[in-house]
């Protein structure tokens, strides 16, 4: 007895361990897929893809040409999906942060294009960890300039925020302070504002640098990059908007160049200009998984996964992957709820047919086929046919019923008939056979009850397998099926009461 | 709301307290544990059951013969003696399907107890159907069993609307633990299934006297059709009933077992069939949970006793 008890405990114990292990495994795989393959939990999640195009224009002056263009880098916020260069006759080289184009001497107007596709836009923190910069060189101010600088700094201290913010706000004040006007050159531009603020910061011993970036918007053509200021404060680079003083990377903003290097260097050309344009397109996140895997050096694992199969196979597997869940539902309905269904998996097959036919048409069609089938079966039972010919005859009748339904519904232009052809004939025949045997042995009431219970189980299954999100999740995170396997096995050791027994045995408790 | 719920539903803890055995527990803890799969054919095949029963000294209706092949059907005439009453049934039948009782016969005709007259041809057709599996589980080819008709004792005559009730005894590890008899009613269509509206009468395992009678889950005192007093049933030869049940354990090796026993007017109690998956309705008929009783057997009842000793133990404890 004790030994039997022990062996029982072990089964459940082992299953519990397996369940926990499979949960951990699935958890890890889900984490992995989300992190490295970019899988999401919503089926139609879309990712914005930004196409940024830089149009470089200059006049060649007859010397060998070398163009060096700053380009965005893959960062936490953006990943590079693709990049290409349209520059006929140029040798091209793409570095980490610059594109280098070179060619022999040329004359006349030159046009080259650089295009980059970015995706993955998460809200960025706007703080860039980087090696601490050297203490900035103090600007050389004349006595008079120094006095003005001090005055500006003291004026700035009345503004809110940290020092760079105070300065930016002071410089943008309307109407401007006379001191500020005097300090700036005649023509006030964002660039010289930035340069002067940078100088003042250096005067206070704070390192700063320029940053150029692009605000990603639906459609934007022929614009210049925005200038921003980065200051090194409290051990971090902070990015400042030069008009509002707001800290942090603005939404949908990508930095293409930082610090002292220039946006564009051209040797062998003059009158250069660079114009950017931005185009937004949208794609299904799932399609980017391979690309992401590649970017995170997880290509091999991806190549060997089901997601790398041809689309046809994938959709077949996708359909398959939801069934363990459906099976779990049936197991719960039978062993936990205690509904007696016709056959174990018949409800599942009915549910499958319902998905194909649509709920309303499918149910109506099911009821009609069942009704007529039972009627015919009742006639057959008078003939005392043997089992195999009898079922076979029922199958033929079901086929005929389906044929007529299709025909009639075509004539009346309804889709109930077409729904009929999706019901698996053999299953229908078998259900009719089962129902009529129950009918004979246990009466119409029990037969109807069994049919209704089967339909309830089928509907529960239907709700699950027709839910696109669930289907998608079971496919994208298919290791959940292992968890389901152990859950189902655990259910096999469930010895508690079924819900229906709570009612059945109610008279036995006082 | 809660009150309404508790009127129709028990809580699991209430059921546990009442010692009710649930289906999952029955399957997992008793059937899977005590009934080895390879032993099932012993009870599922009526010919095997009969032969075994004979070996173990359990009375069953005498086997007249079996018919296995279609061409043997005409041998029926040679098998049954003149005037003898007999029964034809499928070896793997269930629920009374395909049971044909013949009370008397002559050169050309067969008569059933209800007076219906069948021709030879009709009876052969019935045998032929039986062999092709018309009445059998899963429709497999089957054997027709010809056995002597039980001459039912008249004691139960008033208690059943149709047919003759048998006594179902649940045997756990060799000990008869619970018993009931099922009485057909008009509402149950003459069938003896409780959930179809037959009356279940719980029988005291020590005395074979009525404990309780229920119909559709409600306690009753009189049969709805015959108006017989159900509280006064006392099954005669109760000890013999228990002995047959107890022996079924040695006979089959199944630890959780149901035995259907009928009472022959001349030969006393006879085992009609055994069931390796007896249902749980016996609890409702008895108003007692099985779990309690089974637990008691596990804990206190002595092991390795002979059937006679076990019956004596049950009768005195
Ligand atoms: N030998 C017999 N004599 C009289 N009636 C019988 C005999 N055998 C079976 N029956 C009747 O048929 C019913 C079903 O028989 P049973 O052997 O229990 O087969 P099943 O496995 O189909 O239940 C019994 O309850 C009884 O009423
Ligand atoms: Mg029976």
């Amino acid at each position: 007895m004790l030994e039997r008890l022990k062996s029982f405990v072990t089964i459940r114990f082992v299953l519990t361990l397996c369940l926990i292990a499979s949960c951990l495994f699935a958890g890890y795989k889900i984490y992995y897929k989300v992190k490295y393959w970019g899988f999401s939990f919503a089926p139609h999640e879309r990712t914005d893809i930004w196409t940024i195009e830089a149009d470089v224009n200059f006049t060649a002056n007859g010397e060998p040409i070398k163009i060096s263009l700053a380009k965005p880098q893959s960062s936490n916020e953006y990943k590079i999906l693709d990049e290409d260069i349209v520059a006929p006759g140029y040798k091209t080289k793409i570095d980490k942060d610059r594109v280098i184009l070179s060619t022999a001497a040329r004359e006349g107007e030159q046009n080259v294009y650089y295009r980059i596709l970015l995706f993955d836009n998460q809200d960025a923190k706007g703080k860039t960890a980087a090696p601490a910069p050297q203490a900035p060189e103090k600007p050389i101010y004349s006595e008079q300039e120094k006095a003005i600088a001090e005055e500006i700094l003291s004026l700035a201290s009345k503004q809110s925020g940290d020092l760079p913010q105070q300065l930016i706000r002071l410089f943008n004040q309307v109407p401007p302070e006379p001191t500020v006007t005097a300090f700036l050159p005649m023509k006030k531009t964002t660039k010289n504002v930035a340069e002067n603020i940078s100088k003042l910061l250096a005067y206070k011993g704070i390192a700063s640098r320029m940053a150029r970036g692009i605000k990603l918007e639906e459609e934007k053509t022929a614009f210049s990059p925005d200038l921003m200021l980065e200051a090194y404060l409290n051990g971090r680079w902070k990015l400042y908007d030069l008009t509002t003083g707001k800290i942090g990377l603005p939404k949908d903003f990508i930095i293409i160049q930082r610090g002292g290097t220039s946006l564009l260097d051209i040797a062998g050309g003059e009158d250069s200009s660079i114009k950017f344009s931005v185009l937004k397109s949208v794609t299904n996140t799932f399609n980017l998984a391979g690309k992401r895997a590649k970017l995170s050096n997880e290509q091999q694992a991806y190549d060997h996964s089901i997601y790398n199969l041809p689309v046809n196979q994938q959709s077949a597997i996708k359909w398959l992957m939801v069934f363990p869940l459906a099976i779990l539902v049936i197991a719960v309905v039978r062993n936990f709820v205690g509904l007696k269904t016709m056959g174990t998996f018949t409800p599942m097959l009915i549910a499958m047919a319902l998905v194909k036919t649509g709920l309303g048409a499918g149910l109506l069609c099911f009821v009609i086929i069942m009704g007529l089938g039972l009627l015919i079966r009742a006639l057959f039972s008078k003939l005392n046919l043997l089992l195999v010919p009898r079922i076979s005859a029922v199958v033929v009748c079901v086929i005929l019923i389906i044929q007529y339904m299709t025909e009639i519904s075509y004539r009346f232009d309804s889709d109930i008939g077409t729904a009929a052809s999706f019901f698996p004939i053999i299953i229908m025949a078998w259900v009719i056979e089962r129902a009529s045997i129950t009918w004979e042995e246990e009466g119409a009431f029990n037969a109807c009850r069994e049919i209704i219970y089967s339909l309830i189980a089928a509907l529960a299954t239907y709700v699950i397998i027709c839910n696109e999100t669930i289907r998608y999740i079971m496919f994208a995170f298919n290791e959940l099926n292992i968890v389901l396997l152990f859950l189902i096995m655990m259910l096999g050791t469930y010895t508690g009461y079924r819900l229906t027994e709570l009612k059945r045995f109610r008279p036995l408790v006082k | 709301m809660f009150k309404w719920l508790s009127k129709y539903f028990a809580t699991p803890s209430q059921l546990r307290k009442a010692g009710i055995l649930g289906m999952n527990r029955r399957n997992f803890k008793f059937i899977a544990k005590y009934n080895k799969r390879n032993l099932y054919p012993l009870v599922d095949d009526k010919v095997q059951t009969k032969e075994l029963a004979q070996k173990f000294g359990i009375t069953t209706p005498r086997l007249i013969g079996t018919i296995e092949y279609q061409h043997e059907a005409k041998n029926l005439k040679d098998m049954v003696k003149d005037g003898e009453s007999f029964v034809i049934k499928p070896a793997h039948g269930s629920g009374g399907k395909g049971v044909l009782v013949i009370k008397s016969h002559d050169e050309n005709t067969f008569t059933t107890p209800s007076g219906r007259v069948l021709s030879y041809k009709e009876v052969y057709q019935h045998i032929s159907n039986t062999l092709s599996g018309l009445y059998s589980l899963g429709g497999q080819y089957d054997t027709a069993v010809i056995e002597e008709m039980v001459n039912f004792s008249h004691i139960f005559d008033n208690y059943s609307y149709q047919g003759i009730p048998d006594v179902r005894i649940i045997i756990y590890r060799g000990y008869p633990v619970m018993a009931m008899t099922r009485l057909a009613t008009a509402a149950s269509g003459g069938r003896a299934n409780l959930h179809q509206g037959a009356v279940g009468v719980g029988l005291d395992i020590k005395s074979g006297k009525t404990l309780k009678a229920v119909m559709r889950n409600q306690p009753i005192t009189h049969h709805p059709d015959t108006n017989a007093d159900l509280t006064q049933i006392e099954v005669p030869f109760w000890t013999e009933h228990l002995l047959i049940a107890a022996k079924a354990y040695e006979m089959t090796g199944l630890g959780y077992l149901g035995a259907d026993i009928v009472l022959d007017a001349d030969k006393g109690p006879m085992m009609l069939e055994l069931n390796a998956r007896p249902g749980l309705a016996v609890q409702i008929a008895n108003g007692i949970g099985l779990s309690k009783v089974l637990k008691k057997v596990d804990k206190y009842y002595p092991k390795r006793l002979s059937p006679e000793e076990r019956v004596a133990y049950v009768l005195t404890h």
Side-chain angles (χ1 to χ4, degrees), chain A residues 20-241:
Chain A
I20 292 171
S22 63
C23 280
L24 290 177
F25 173 72
Y28 166 73
K29 287 295 275 187
I30 290 170
Y31 167 79
Y32 173 91
K33 284 179 171 176
V34 170
K35 173 147 182 162
Y36 294 111
W37 296 357
F39 279 19
S40 65
F41 290 96
H44 285 307
E45 185 144 305
R46 301 192 154 257
T47 299
D48 296 343
I49 293 189
W50 300 98
T51 308
I52 302 175
E53 194 177 85
D55 171 6
V56 176
N57 193 305
F58 63 95
T59 316
N61 58 10
E63 283 169 42
I65 297 170
K66 189 172 176 199
I67 305 166
S68 163
L69 174 69
K71 63 159 254 213
Q73 302 174 36
S74 264
S75 62
N76 276 345
E77 294 82 39
Y78 290 97
K79 295 207 173 70
I80 296 169
L81 181 64
D82 202 3
E83 52 191 327
D84 69 85
I85 297 164
V86 185
Y90 283 79
K91 267 220 299 267
T92 61
K93 183 163 158 259
I94 297 180
D95 273 355
K96 206 167 136 251
D97 55 352
R98 291 194 88 82
V99 181
I100 316 281
L101 303 169
S102 54
T103 184
R106 288 191 184 192
E107 298 271 354
E109 179 151 340
Q110 301 286 314
N111 240 327
V112 299
Y113 297 92
Y114 166 69
R115 193 169 58 200
I116 188 165
L117 273 67
L118 301 167
F119 68 99
D120 234 12
N121 160 27
Q122 298 158 3
D123 271 359
K125 306 282 172 297
K127 292 175 196 148
T128 320
Q134 289 176 342
E137 260 176 58
K138 280 219 170 192
I140 307 143
Y141 285 142
S142 62
E143 274 312 306
Q144 194 198 357
E145 282 172 326
K146 207 163 165 179
I148 298 176
E150 293 285 357
E151 195 183 337
I152 286 180
L153 286 168
S154 76
L155 278 172
S157 63
K158 294 187 189 112
Q159 301 282 338
S160 60
D162 59 12
L163 187 59
Q165 274 179 317
Q166 289 172 338
L167 285 169
I168 290 168
R169 282 175 186 152
L170 182 68
F171 274 70
N172 284 300
Q173 211 174 49
V174 186
E177 286 278 342
T179 336
V180 174
T181 326
F183 192 67
L184 287 174
M186 285 300 275
K187 194 165 162 268
K188 181 184 157 194
T189 62
T190 324
K191 192 167 176 212
N192 55 42
V193 166
E195 276 166 356
N196 277 300
I197 292 178
S198 193
K199 254 190 196 170
L200 287 167
L201 288 175
Y203 180 70
K204 295 292 278 180
I206 296 169
S208 64
R209 65 187 182 191
M210 306 290 165
R212 283 195 185 81
I214 293 172
K215 171 99 179 136
L216 299 174
E217 278 161 333
E218 276 298 328
E219 207 162 315
K220 215 158 92 167
T221 51
F223 65 93
S224 307
D226 297 324
L227 195 65
M228 310 267 286
L229 185 75
E230 271 188 313
Y232 192 78
L233 276 175
N234 305 329
R236 275 190 177 279
W237 283 107
K238 286 190 185 174
L239 190 67
Y240 293 87
D241 185 308

Side-chain angles (χ1 to χ4, degrees), chain B residues 46 50 61 86-87 89-90 92-99 101 147-152 163-164 166 260 262 272-273:
Chain B
K46 293 202 166 67
K50 235 179 228 311
F86 62 93
V87 172
K89 57 180 170 187
H92 292 93
S94 70
K97 262 177 294 168
V99 178
V101 186
E147 69 179 20
E148 157 189 271
M149 188 187 84
V150 176
N151 185 13
F152 285 104
I164 298 91
D166 53 7
D260 289 353
V262 289
L272 206 53
E273 65 164 345

Side-chain angles (χ1 to χ4, degrees), chain B:
Chain B
M1 172 69 187
F2 194 75
K3 231 180 168 169
W4 177 85
L5 264 182
S6 69
K7 190 172 160 202
Y8 292 101
F9 294 93
T11 64
S13 72
Q14 279 175 324
L15 290 188
R16 220 171 296 128
K17 222 186 249 157
I20 308 297
L21 182 62
M23 196 58 100
N24 289 332
R25 205 176 163 76
R26 182 202 76 168
N27 291 343
F28 193 86
K29 292 267 205 160
F30 297 102
I31 292 191
K33 198 160 150 186
Y34 291 107
N35 292 357
K36 291 217 187 77
R37 279 248 146 215
N38 61 327
L39 298 175
Y40 278 33
L42 301 184
V43 296
D44 286 343
D45 180 348
K46 293 202 166 67
V47 184
Q48 283 195 45
T49 314
K50 235 179 228 311
E51 284 167 354
L52 258 183
Q54 210 159 22
K55 258 192 232 160
F56 283 80
I58 299 173
T59 344
T60 62
R62 185 177 59 85
L63 182 66
I64 295 173
T66 60
I67 296 176
E68 246 179 286
Y69 303 104
Q70 299 281 358
H71 66 89
E72 294 173 347
K74 57 184 180 304
N75 299 355
L76 178 68
K77 250 183 183 169
D78 308 327
M79 277 185 194
V80 291
K81 282 192 242 84
D82 284 348
E84 190 182 30
S85 46
F86 62 93
V87 172
I88 305 171
K89 57 180 170 187
H92 292 93
S94 70
K97 262 177 294 168
V99 178
L100 180 64
V101 186
I102 304 293
K103 191 155 184 167
S104 64
H105 63 103
D106 55 35
E107 275 302 298
N108 306 309
T109 57
F110 294 86
T111 315
T112 68
S114 60
R116 200 154 69 97
V117 178
L118 300 169
S119 68
Y120 259 104
K121 221 180 138 209
E122 283 170 299
V123 174
Y124 288 153
Q125 181 62 44
H126 182 85
I127 293 173
S128 169
N129 284 344
T130 307
L131 297 187
S132 358
L134 183 59
Y135 311 112
S136 307
L137 278 157
Q140 76 224 23
Y141 289 110
D142 207 349
T143 304
V145 180
I146 321 287
E147 69 179 20
E148 157 189 271
M149 188 187 84
V150 176
N151 185 13
F152 285 104
S153 149
H154 291 287
I155 295 176
F156 289 116
D157 279 1
N158 277 330
Y159 290 117
S160 193
Y161 166 73
Q162 249 175 26
I164 298 91
D166 53 7
V167 171
R168 155 70 57 93
I169 300 181
I170 305 289
I171 305 119
Y172 179 57
R173 304 179 79 178
Y175 285 99
V177 286
M178 215 175 255
M180 70 164 166
T181 180
R182 287 163 294 186
L183 312 173
T185 62
S188 75
R191 291 170 191 275
N193 267 330
L194 290 202
H195 70 268
Q196 283 176 260
V199 174
V201 181
L203 300 172
D204 180 29
I205 197 70
K206 284 184 195 164
S207 62
K209 287 185 194 162
T210 304
L211 268 181
K212 188 184 176 186
V214 293
M215 182 180 167
R216 291 200 190 285
N217 274 336
Q218 293 304 315
I220 54 170
T221 53
H222 290 81
H223 193 283
D225 306 312
T226 68
N227 215 25
D229 187 357
L230 297 172
T231 58
Q232 297 308 314
I233 298 180
E234 179 173 4
V235 179
F237 305 105
W238 186 243
T239 314
E240 285 78 356
H241 276 83
L242 293 185
L243 195 58
I244 289 175
K247 280 179 177 171
Y249 173 60
E250 267 82 8
M251 172 185 146
T252 59
L254 295 168
Y256 185 78
L257 193 62
D260 289 353
I261 300 171
V262 289
L263 190 55
D264 188 280
D266 315 314
K267 298 174 185 165
M270 283 185 167
M271 187 183 79
L272 206 53
E273 65 164 345
L274 296 175
N275 197 325
R277 309 170 201 80
L280 299 171
V282 68
Q283 302 181 103
I284 298 172
N286 276 266
I288 300 173
L290 256 173
S291 268
K292 254 188 209 161
V293 192
L294 301 186
K295 218 177 266 165
K296 224 165 57 190
V297 174
D298 278 334
K299 255 194 169 154
Y300 306 114
Y301 285 29
K303 308 282 132 50
R304 281 187 277 284
L305 294 187
S306 70
E308 290 78 7
E309 288 170 321
R310 288 199 301 267
V311 170
Y313 188 89
V314 166
L315 290 176
T316 52
H317 283 79

